[in-house]
Amino acid sequence: MVKGTPTFTSENLAALKKRYTDAGQAHVFERFGELNDEEAAIFFEQLSNIDIESCNEFFARTMDSSKQSQQPAKIEPLESGSFDTTLDASQNGASDAWRAEGLRLIRENKVAVILLAGGQGSRLGSSAPKGLYDIGLPSGKPLFALQAERIRRLQQLASDDTHNATIPWLVMTSGPTSAATRAAFEKAEYFGLNADDVFFFNQGVLPCFGNDGKILLETVGRVAVAPDGNGGIYQALRLSGALDWLRSRGVEHIHSYCVDNCLVRVADPTFIGYAAQRGAECGALVVPKKSWDEPVGVICLRNRDFGVVEYSEISAEMAQMTRPETAELAYNAGNICNHYYTLDFLQHRVPEIEDKLEHHVARKKIKHLDLETGDLITPTKPNGIKLERFVFDVFPFVQRMAILEVDRKDQFSPLKNAPGSGVDCPETSRKDLIAQCIRFAEAAGAKIQLVDGQHPAFEISALVSYAGEGLETLNGKTLAPNQLITDLDSVVTV
């Protein structure tokens, strides 16, 4: 939590020491005298930018909440009339109307997108931002480029003779990814977008705590910190000036998504149009679970309010419950971190409820300084606590919610695990996107010459088709399975 940084003077240092002493965190200054002037000034700035009183309050409230034996929450599935689906063919007319409304809003420059891109590719064997990861497509393009091209294509689809549609792209980075992300965008010339339409902002951080509530030091002159969770997006948007920037541009509707989904339909006009027509202030896309025991959080009701319940909170009996009218799983709304907001909700409603949002405890192995010896301790088991909020923590406070079920194979293929792991990994992301491109071509009337036992390398650039549209010239053609289609006039046929 950031405040204005005072000048590094002896008087201000004394005042800062008193603040930390009064907060029971005086130990952070225990080895302060070992720092040279430059190091001391840097440490002073970091400590000044931490709202220590609020952090102490967060820790105490979160720990008390986790210890209290509370009445178990009443968990119920979503009511049948509280969500809609794109999976029912009889709903195609409604889907077309939602898409048309979304395109209208995009055409009028009332739509923006927020990308949650603070993560590194650590599990993928890379220290670079995850958005720079290449999943092995014929184009060799990283996730950032794939998503930027969808924005570019959608701008084309929404524009007409009198409207030049622009979709602002807000990119939330973290400390470890900020510089590399900005540099990559600059090097790639913003992946074909106008630099003035891209807004970078940083995810917030919070101090790491020992189990005793004392702040841990990373070095003699640095507090150990960690990102405040994807739920930190709300404060980060406000403090960065991003919301005011959107307001100045006339934006009213916002789509938010995570960088690691190669199938995401950025600024999805169907989703935006659906939520807007329902008059929602917040919305969520969901996908049906693969099975009753799939380890995924689901959107449901908790004490009659919307919320996300982790799979571990639902008994096997509850997870296997079905809806009498459809025989589908009752708890079937798999959460994919794909959300809609109105700007009014983010700018006016969220600040009213932010103090009510709880932090969650993440017990982690945290490297820290031993203040007695000055040694860096690398623990082998969890020794400390990181506090974080989740982006869906606002759901219980939403007054008008829109939940839309979509097909997993069209819109969700997460990249979470190392190459070769077989689940939610680069190979599955590549396979899912290529399979989607093949479906697009086949739906247009083309055939793909597939050879048994071979894995095709077939890709249609998003600059050619956002979601399967505009491929009519492929009708009746047999296409080579290994090609990148960037221009319908140069398609390889057999």
Side-chain angles (χ1 to χ4, degrees):
M1 301 182 65
V2 178
K3 293 184 171 184
T5 305
T7 307
F8 181 39
T9 65
S10 58
E11 292 81 5
N12 287 336
L13 177 60
L16 186 65
K17 286 182 176 179
K18 184 177 187 305
R19 272 186 57 210
Y20 274 77
T21 300
D22 292 346
Q25 303 285 1
H27 64 282
V28 299
F29 288 100
E30 196 166 311
R31 303 178 76 100
F32 191 84
E34 299 175 18
L35 303 174
N36 61 37
D37 290 346
E38 182 180 359
E39 293 168 338
I42 293 172
F43 193 32
F44 172 83
E45 180 178 6
Q46 185 194 27
L47 292 173
S48 298
N49 286 336
I50 294 173
D51 187 339
I52 188 59
E53 295 82 6
S54 293
C55 289
N56 273 352
E57 180 185 346
F58 294 158
F59 181 86
R61 188 171 64 186
T62 304
M63 297 307 293
D64 286 346
S65 175
S66 65
K67 291 177 182 177
Q68 290 173 5
S69 55
Q70 301 175 341
Q71 183 77 16
K74 183 180 181 181
I75 297 175
E76 300 172 283
L78 294 174
E79 296 173 353
S80 296
S82 66
F83 65 95
D84 286 287
T85 182
T86 62
L87 303 181
D88 185 348
S90 66
Q91 294 287 321
N92 286 348
S95 293
D96 291 343
W98 299 331
R99 182 177 183 274
E101 174 65 6
L103 286 173
R104 181 188 70 81
L105 294 171
I106 294 170
R107 183 177 307 117
E108 296 177 0
N109 294 330
K110 293 182 178 180
V111 175
V113 291
I114 299 174
L115 166 59
L116 307 184
Q120 294 172 285
S122 303
R123 294 184 187 176
L124 306 171
S126 169
S127 60
K130 190 179 282 188
L132 293 176
Y133 196 84
D134 172 7
I135 60 174
L137 295 172
S139 65
K141 291 180 178 177
L143 295 170
F144 283 145
L146 299 176
Q147 294 161 18
E149 291 186 353
R150 288 174 193 153
I151 293 175
R152 291 168 60 189
R153 172 63 178 169
L154 196 52
Q155 289 177 159
Q156 293 173 352
L157 290 173
S159 296
D160 59 22
D161 292 340
T162 58
H163 296 85
N164 184 23
T166 299
I167 303 172
W169 198 15
L170 294 89
V171 182
M172 186 175 81
T173 59
S174 63
T177 65
S178 178
T181 299
R182 291 172 186 250
F185 270 68
E186 291 176 6
K187 182 178 180 180
E189 297 182 342
Y190 292 83
F191 303 102
L193 294 168
N194 188 328
D196 292 337
D197 298 328
V198 180
F199 188 104
F200 295 99
F201 65 105
N202 258 11
Q203 181 178 6
V205 297
L206 287 172
C208 299
F209 292 87
N211 293 321
D212 58 359
K214 299 296 185 183
I215 287 177
L216 298 176
L217 294 183
E218 182 179 298
T219 67
V220 172
R222 182 167 181 79
V223 171
V225 298
D228 55 4
N230 58 19
I233 184 177
Y234 303 112
Q235 184 182 61
L237 282 168
R238 189 173 65 255
L239 294 179
S240 68
L243 299 180
D244 293 332
W245 183 72
L246 291 175
R247 181 71 65 183
S248 72
R249 298 179 63 118
V251 168
E252 298 176 4
H253 308 270
I254 297 165
H255 177 221
S256 172
Y257 69 96
C258 289
V259 71
D260 59 4
N261 178 10
C262 71
L263 296 183
V264 63
R265 292 187 178 175
V266 186
D268 181 2
T270 302
F271 180 32
I272 291 167
Y274 167 72
Q277 286 194 345
R278 283 183 65 98
E281 58 185 4
C282 181
L285 284 187
V286 298
V287 297
K289 294 175 66 175
K290 293 178 179 178
S291 61
W292 71 265
D293 57 349
E294 181 185 5
V296 63
V298 296
I299 296 180
C300 58
L301 299 178
R302 186 196 292 267
N303 295 330
R304 302 301 299 165
D305 294 321
F306 290 106
V308 173
V309 175
E310 296 302 327
Y311 66 94
S312 58
E313 298 180 72
I314 300 177
S315 67
E317 181 181 4
M318 291 175 63
Q320 294 178 74
M321 285 174 51
T322 57
R323 295 183 183 277
E325 65 274 20
T326 64
E328 295 176 345
L329 292 173
Y331 293 93
N332 201 37
N335 177 45
I336 61 173
C337 198
N338 194 317
H339 301 139
Y340 162 91
Y341 308 97
T342 63
L343 181 58
D344 283 342
F345 177 75
L346 293 177
Q347 198 162 34
H348 302 305
R349 280 279 292 128
V350 170
E352 294 175 356
I353 64 177
E354 207 159 24
D355 286 344
K356 300 176 184 178
L357 302 179
E358 296 291 338
H359 285 82
H360 306 272
V361 172
R363 298 187 181 275
K364 300 288 186 178
K365 293 181 285 188
I366 303 171
K367 293 181 180 180
H368 64 284
L369 184 75
D370 185 319
L371 286 172
E372 289 188 9
T373 66
D375 295 333
L376 179 64
I377 304 298
T378 302
T380 57
K381 59 182 180 180
N383 66 305
I385 291 169
K386 296 179 180 180
L387 300 180
E388 57 187 6
R389 281 174 171 163
F390 300 144
V391 68
F392 52 73
D393 286 339
V394 300
F395 286 5
F397 303 94
V398 174
Q399 296 170 350
R400 299 182 307 280
M401 187 78 172
I403 300 174
L404 183 63
E405 181 185 61
V406 295
D407 197 331
R408 181 191 294 252
K409 72 177 185 295
D410 286 331
Q411 299 208 40
F412 187 55
S413 180
L415 178 61
K416 303 290 186 184
N417 302 318
S421 59
V423 179
D424 296 343
C425 62
E427 293 84 0
T428 56
S429 291
R430 176 183 183 275
K431 179 181 177 182
D432 289 344
L433 199 148
I434 288 175
Q436 182 182 68
C437 291
I438 290 175
R439 289 196 302 274
F440 287 167
E442 291 178 338
K447 294 182 180 179
I448 314 298
Q449 187 185 56
L450 300 178
V451 179
D452 290 344
Q454 292 186 357
H455 298 286
F458 183 84
E459 181 182 359
I460 301 175
S461 168
L463 295 175
V464 173
S465 182
Y466 174 86
E469 80 294 329
L471 302 177
E472 292 80 9
T473 59
L474 299 182
N475 185 35
K477 295 180 179 179
T478 300
L479 308 180
N482 299 323
Q483 62 175 305
L484 167 63
I485 297 177
T486 59
D487 182 345
L488 291 175
D489 292 330
S490 57
V491 173
V492 180
T493 60
V494 292

